[in-house]
Amino acid sequence: MTSNYIVQLGLSASLLLTGLGLSSESIATSKGYDSSAKVVLKDNVPCFFVERPDDTQLPVGQSLAVETNRGPTVWNIYENSGRENFPNSAARCIKYGADWPTGKVVKAPQALQYGVPYYADIETEYRFRVEFCLSHDVHGKPQLTQWANDGKRCTDKPINETDSP
């Protein structure tokens, strides 16, 4: 009887360790969002959207939050009526700090700083994310650039060759 108990205990421990090993692997590879969003400059202001077909079902409940990487939220808006068009193209993008007519402001926009890594999350039933920095090009014009690999600083590499739709 003791040997059956030991075998069952050993089998249970093996299954538990296998399950923990598999779950820790999936956590380690998780990126924290479902798909990529996009950002362009409109009137020198970041403007956010997700490329999705026009006939995509509009989800009820969507939000946009812009945060500094490893820091505070600098702007957050929310819409739960389903009346606002989903920002599914550069033409329909949501400009940083703009009022969302059918939604509410959760956190009023703070001034974006040049050379600071930010990310924007557009959330519906999925989370879409874009990472960006606000920088200047060689002529002093605002442009959007990429983060450095460590996410602690910005690079001078543009996100888009043309930062306007």
Side-chain angles (χ1 to χ4, degrees):
M1 174 114 157
T2 305
S3 65
N4 278 344
Y5 176 73
I6 292 172
V7 169
Q8 287 178 344
L9 185 61
L11 182 59
S12 296
S14 295
L15 290 172
L16 179 63
L17 290 175
T18 301
L20 288 174
L22 291 175
S23 68
S24 67
E25 236 178 74
S26 64
I27 291 170
T29 60
S30 177
K31 57 186 175 189
Y33 58 95
D34 298 304
S35 190
S36 296
K38 303 269 186 179
V39 61
V40 294
L41 282 180
K42 266 195 177 177
D43 304 320
N44 295 329
V45 176
C47 200
F48 310 99
F49 65 99
V50 175
E51 289 183 325
R52 289 178 69 168
D54 281 335
D55 59 357
T56 301
Q57 178 67 30
L58 179 68
V60 174
Q62 52 187 312
S63 68
L64 172 68
V66 177
E67 301 180 24
T68 56
N69 190 29
R70 300 182 183 109
T73 299
V74 295
W75 184 47
N76 189 349
I77 54 177
Y78 179 75
E79 197 272 338
N80 67 353
S81 68
R83 294 188 308 245
E84 187 65 28
N85 287 332
F86 187 77
N88 65 349
S89 67
R92 278 190 178 162
C93 65
I94 301 171
K95 284 174 70 172
Y96 181 82
D99 288 334
W100 213 356
T102 62
K104 75 175 199 173
V105 175
V106 178
K107 178 165 179 81
Q110 298 176 349
L112 294 177
Q113 305 295 313
Y114 285 90
V116 174
Y118 293 99
Y119 64 87
D121 282 342
I122 298 174
E123 294 191 48
T124 61
E125 70 270 348
Y126 302 105
R127 178 179 293 176
F128 303 92
R129 178 172 289 174
V130 61
E131 299 167 347
F132 69 98
C133 295
L134 189 57
S135 302
H136 290 103
D137 67 12
V138 295
H139 305 291
K141 290 179 59 180
Q143 72 173 356
L144 298 169
T145 59
Q146 299 176 13
W147 289 4
N149 287 338
D150 63 7
K152 294 180 183 177
R153 57 189 169 78
C154 299
T155 69
D156 58 358
K157 185 175 181 185
I159 289 180
N160 308 307
E161 286 305 312
T162 59
D163 284 327
S164 58

